[in-house]
Amino acid sequence: MASAAAPTTAVPTVVPPLEQLRRLAVELRLLLPGLRVGEARETTKEFNPETFWRKLNEAAVNVAREATTLTEVFSRVPLPSPQETKRFCEQVHAAIKTITAVYYSLPKDQGITLRKLVRNATLDIVDGMAQLVDVLFITPGQSPDNSDLISYNSVWTACQQVPRIPKDNKAAALSMLTKSVDLVKDAHEEMEQAVEECDPYCGLLNDTEDNSDSQGDEEDDRLGCPNNRDLYWSEEDQELIIPCLALVRASKACLKKIRISVAENGKKDQVAQLDDIVDISDEISPSVDDLALSIYPPMCHLTVRINSAKLVSVLKKALEIAKASHVTPQPEDSWIPLLINAVDHCMNRIKELTQNELELMHSGSNRVLFTPRQAGKRTEKEQR
């Protein structure tokens, strides 16, 4: 009688160390879409700010530690064994899952602006770790003096930023408003510098060499390359730039006054109003950028008019939201009407200077277009 066959035991598959790194990078990147949506997870526990920030800081420290360990063991030979690699990868994945779980525990009622800052910090950490793992997978066993050290530094820097995150929605709002003020200030300074130098492109394009050969100019025109008319402002352009600069200055003044009002009168528990102020204020800098870009030659006056009107609309909405909120305890406060008047004055001047082009556009659009056959019939009637 034949003896029964002994049961075969499954031999566990040994995954090579580098393949484990590749899979880890993929797993980390799969976390990013969910983080960008950033929905808070429902919980019955009462939110404790002190506990949240302590856990977030501890999680960031742990991620930095795991990034250091991973960089050290995969930047020398021999590489870790598959079993050791598995342990390292599991520790990295656990550290990343921990910090994302802490972020998800931050409820919306603490403020959307605050959650955005925590979300962005968490995204930087997860993305930085994924990049580090990618680099270690591509260039294993190399000294951490090149790209893997740079990637490690990006993770470490992102973790270092966590303790610097504002701890409440008012502080977060002030941080965002300060950033918006700085962006508009930079745009205004760039515009002023270009106007003062009368060189919109600050010498990036050298006309002297281009103009040395008239035949070359003609060829450039045929090819659509910029010529002098495209590189410099006409007198009409320069006249239009003046109220545009004034409008950008008014934008900077609006943001500064709103920021001061939030600093002096903002209340931490009025999270929704603070979020509304930040949301509309965030639209000012991109609108300023659109206007600033449209003043560069060749300037289209109608585009300048449209972008100015968009900026004015955003500014007025921001001032109205600030006026209706708790940060302006006296709605009749003089600074809001003064800024609205300043914005209106700039826009009215821009309308005056672009009115001719607007009328030309309207008159052109109102012309009756005839087909060749219709034009022939019309000529016959006129001859009769």
Side-chain angles (χ1 to χ4, degrees):
M1 182 176 176
S3 60
T8 58
T9 57
V11 178
T13 304
V14 178
V15 181
L18 295 183
E19 175 61 17
Q20 292 188 50
L21 285 183
R22 187 193 68 80
R23 293 181 183 181
L24 176 61
V26 171
E27 290 174 358
L28 295 179
R29 286 206 160 85
L30 289 175
L31 300 174
L32 295 174
L35 280 172
R36 291 190 179 100
V37 175
E39 290 294 332
R41 291 174 180 168
E42 296 293 334
T43 179
T44 56
K45 295 182 180 179
E46 183 179 354
F47 178 73
N48 186 319
E50 291 183 5
T51 301
F52 171 81
W53 292 110
R54 177 178 54 78
K55 287 183 176 180
L56 189 68
N57 290 333
E58 290 174 352
V61 169
N62 190 32
V63 170
R65 181 168 52 247
E66 295 301 334
T68 301
T69 302
L70 198 68
T71 302
E72 289 176 350
V73 297
F74 278 92
S75 295
R76 61 173 181 256
V77 289
L79 296 178
S81 67
Q83 293 77 14
E84 290 173 326
T85 301
K86 181 181 179 183
R87 177 169 58 84
F88 290 132
C89 289
E90 287 176 347
Q91 289 173 349
V92 168
H93 193 268
I96 291 295
K97 290 290 287 184
T98 297
I99 198 166
T100 58
V102 176
Y103 159 63
Y104 284 126
S105 71
L106 181 62
K108 287 183 178 180
D109 61 16
Q110 295 300 303
I112 300 300
T113 305
L114 179 61
R115 293 195 84 250
K116 284 181 180 178
L117 293 181
V118 179
R119 179 194 65 192
N120 292 341
T122 309
L123 278 169
D124 288 343
I125 290 172
V126 177
D127 187 53
M129 182 65 86
Q131 291 181 31
L132 173 60
V133 175
D134 271 338
V135 170
L136 294 175
F137 163 71
I138 295 169
T139 57
Q142 294 188 10
S143 173
D145 294 330
N146 39 50
S147 56
D148 51 345
L149 181 59
I150 295 172
S151 298
Y152 159 67
N153 282 339
S154 69
V155 178
W156 183 81
T157 301
C159 292
Q160 286 286 94
Q161 296 303 314
V162 169
R164 300 185 178 96
I165 300 174
K167 298 301 185 289
D168 57 69
N169 208 48
K170 178 183 175 180
L174 286 171
S175 173
M176 296 298 291
L177 290 170
T178 299
K179 180 181 177 182
S180 294
V181 171
D182 291 341
L183 290 172
V184 172
K185 180 183 177 183
D186 290 344
H188 180 250
E189 289 176 353
E190 289 176 8
M191 291 172 69
E192 279 194 326
Q193 182 181 357
V195 172
E196 288 174 2
E197 296 177 356
C198 294
D199 182 2
Y201 296 101
C202 298
L204 291 176
L205 297 172
N206 191 343
D207 306 296
T208 305
E209 295 179 2
D210 293 341
N211 292 334
S212 61
D213 189 338
S214 59
Q215 183 178 356
D217 279 349
E218 292 174 2
E219 183 178 352
D220 285 347
D221 287 341
R222 288 195 299 272
L223 294 174
C225 295
N227 54 32
N228 280 340
R229 293 186 303 275
D230 297 325
L231 298 178
Y232 294 99
W233 288 301
S234 66
E235 290 183 4
E236 292 81 5
D237 293 342
Q238 294 182 39
E239 190 176 10
L240 180 56
I241 287 172
I242 295 172
C244 291
L245 275 172
L247 183 56
V248 175
R249 279 196 299 271
S251 303
K252 183 172 63 173
C254 287
L255 279 170
K256 282 186 173 181
K257 290 298 293 185
I258 291 173
R259 182 185 61 182
I260 290 171
S261 295
V262 171
E264 293 179 349
N265 305 314
K267 297 178 181 178
K268 296 179 182 180
D269 59 343
Q270 296 288 340
V271 293
Q273 289 188 7
L274 292 173
D275 287 336
D276 289 342
I277 291 171
V278 171
D279 284 344
I280 187 62
S281 298
D282 280 348
E283 297 181 26
I284 295 177
S285 176
S287 299
V288 166
D289 288 342
D290 289 341
L291 175 58
L293 289 173
S294 64
I295 72 165
Y296 282 85
M299 186 191 289
C300 174
H301 288 200
L302 290 181
T303 301
V304 172
R305 179 178 177 135
I306 291 170
N307 288 338
S308 299
K310 289 179 180 177
L311 176 56
V312 167
S313 175
V314 172
L315 290 173
K316 286 188 172 181
K317 188 175 180 181
L319 291 172
E320 288 299 325
I321 289 176
K323 180 180 178 180
S325 74
H326 72 283
V327 304
T328 311
Q330 297 177 336
E332 67 279 2
D333 196 351
S334 61
W335 68 269
I336 292 180
L338 282 175
L339 285 173
I340 291 176
N341 288 338
V343 167
D344 284 337
H345 177 75
C346 295
M347 190 66 227
N348 289 337
R349 183 58 180 155
I350 291 170
K351 287 179 179 178
E352 291 174 9
L353 296 173
T354 57
Q355 190 61 31
N356 287 339
E357 285 204 24
L358 185 65
E359 291 173 355
L360 285 173
M361 184 191 72
H362 286 163
S363 62
S365 63
N366 290 333
R367 292 173 185 167
V368 179
L369 300 178
F370 296 95
T371 64
R373 183 176 297 178
Q374 290 172 327
K377 290 181 180 179
R378 185 181 181 191
T379 304
E380 292 175 3
K381 289 181 180 180
E382 291 173 349
Q383 287 175 350
R384 292 174 188 171

